[in-house]
Amino acid sequence: MGPMTDGTRERRHAFGDDAEQYDAGRPGYPEQLVDDVLDFAGGTAAAPALEVGAGTGKATLAFARRGLSITCVEPDERMARVLRLRCAGLPQVTVEVADFETWRPGSRRHGLLYCAQAWHWVDPAARWARARAALRPNGAVALFWNHWFLQDEHLARELTAAHERHGLDIPEHTLLDPRPRPAHHGPRARQWREMEADGGFTDIDHRLYTTHHPRTAAGIVGLVASNSGYRVIDKARREPLLDEMARLVGDRTVTVRVVTSLFLARTKDA
């Protein structure tokens, strides 16, 4: 992703238009991933942790329930409102509404910075320096994303054809996107290359996790509608497409395969 543009900022805040729907539509993250991140970061000794782009708390709860003290930085007040409600019984979670690019960590440094499904929204010109500034020496970075795939290939073709009938392209990185996801692995991946180019990170690693999730028509439409590529489509064009997608799924329960991509690294010692 290139420099931050007005269009990128618009899409970054599109999720807050219906924060509750986003929260209901998106799957969470594998427990094994949480285990691996905490093991890499040194367990609760990684506290305080910093979550960038916390959204409605899909990852927050998984880490907070392991006893981790977390500061969540979320740029959208509407998303942060849902996040606060979900974390109401977790006093070790603090929510701050701010863009990570301008958020000030103060004198406190963190042992772990993690970001779920949001690192690509942070300005590429600032994100790695900002991460290093927020972390202690040897602090851990964990960046992860879910990639969604519809297991039923016939249904996928039907839903793709519905987009064509409505004159709409399939947005990138969504359930029906035919392009490979993740596109690159290990040292060929953009995140790996950017951390190497920055020069401030070591012990870089890339891991993949696969899980399967049953979804009804409402679940499929909810997942699709939660993506910014669909949210920025005019509602008068988007809603008829989503209605047709729900009719095509019908009363079936279908399987969504989720591949979660995790990048790990540590800041260099001084």
Side-chain angles (χ1 to χ4, degrees), residues 95-135:
V95 179
E96 298 187 21
V97 178
D99 291 325
F100 181 57
E101 296 90 335
T102 57
W103 176 77
R104 301 299 176 193
S107 59
R108 196 180 198 192
R109 292 294 180 267
H110 301 80
L112 167 65
L113 180 154
Y114 70 92
C115 181
Q117 212 76 29
W119 193 246
H120 56 294
W121 296 122
V122 183
D123 188 347
R127 55 192 174 200
W128 302 108
R130 297 288 295 157
R132 285 187 282 101
L135 287 165

Side-chain angles (χ1 to χ4, degrees), residues 69-91:
S69 173
I70 307 167
T71 296
C72 299
V73 178
E74 167 52 45
D76 193 293
E77 176 60 54
R78 299 162 297 179
M79 300 288 276
R81 189 178 304 118
V82 176
L83 174 61
R84 289 189 181 102
L85 288 172
R86 297 195 76 204
C87 296
L90 298 167

Side-chain angles (χ1 to χ4, degrees), residues 238-256:
R238 181 181 71 237
E239 293 304 314
L241 169 64
L242 297 179
D243 288 344
E244 183 172 352
M245 292 179 71
R247 288 195 298 272
L248 288 168
V249 177
D251 59 3
R252 287 176 286 181
T253 297
V254 296
T255 299
V256 173

Side-chain angles (χ1 to χ4, degrees), residues 146-268:
N146 281 335
H147 306 276
W148 310 285
F149 304 86
L150 194 59
Q151 290 288 89
D152 186 328
E153 294 183 4
H154 176 71
L155 178 59
R157 288 192 294 270
E158 288 185 314
L159 297 177
T160 298
H163 284 69
E164 296 170 357
R165 287 192 292 274
H166 287 265
L168 293 171
D169 294 329
I170 295 172
E172 289 184 321
H173 312 301
T174 59
L175 181 67
L176 300 171
D177 186 354
R179 285 157 287 212
R181 292 163 283 148
H184 300 291
H185 299 265
R188 296 178 60 240
R190 184 182 70 247
Q191 293 76 19
W192 189 303
R193 289 186 284 107
E194 288 185 359
M195 282 189 279
E196 280 194 329
D198 177 86
F201 299 92
T202 187
D203 298 337
I204 305 172
D205 194 9
H206 183 200
R207 307 179 189 183
L208 297 174
Y209 307 78
T210 299
T211 53
H212 295 85
H213 304 258
R215 289 266 171 155
T216 62
I220 292 294
V221 170
L223 174 58
V224 167
S226 73
N227 185 275
S228 66
Y230 285 94
R231 299 217 62 83
V232 297
I233 298 172
D234 182 78
K235 186 176 181 180
R237 302 185 69 201
R238 181 181 71 237
E239 293 304 314
L241 169 64
L242 297 179
D243 288 344
E244 183 172 352
M245 292 179 71
R247 288 195 298 272
L248 288 168
V249 177
D251 59 3
R252 287 176 286 181
T253 297
V254 296
T255 299
V256 173
R257 178 169 58 92
V258 179
V259 176
T260 307
S261 186
L262 167 67
F263 288 89
L264 295 167
R266 291 188 178 88
T267 53
K268 289 185 176 179

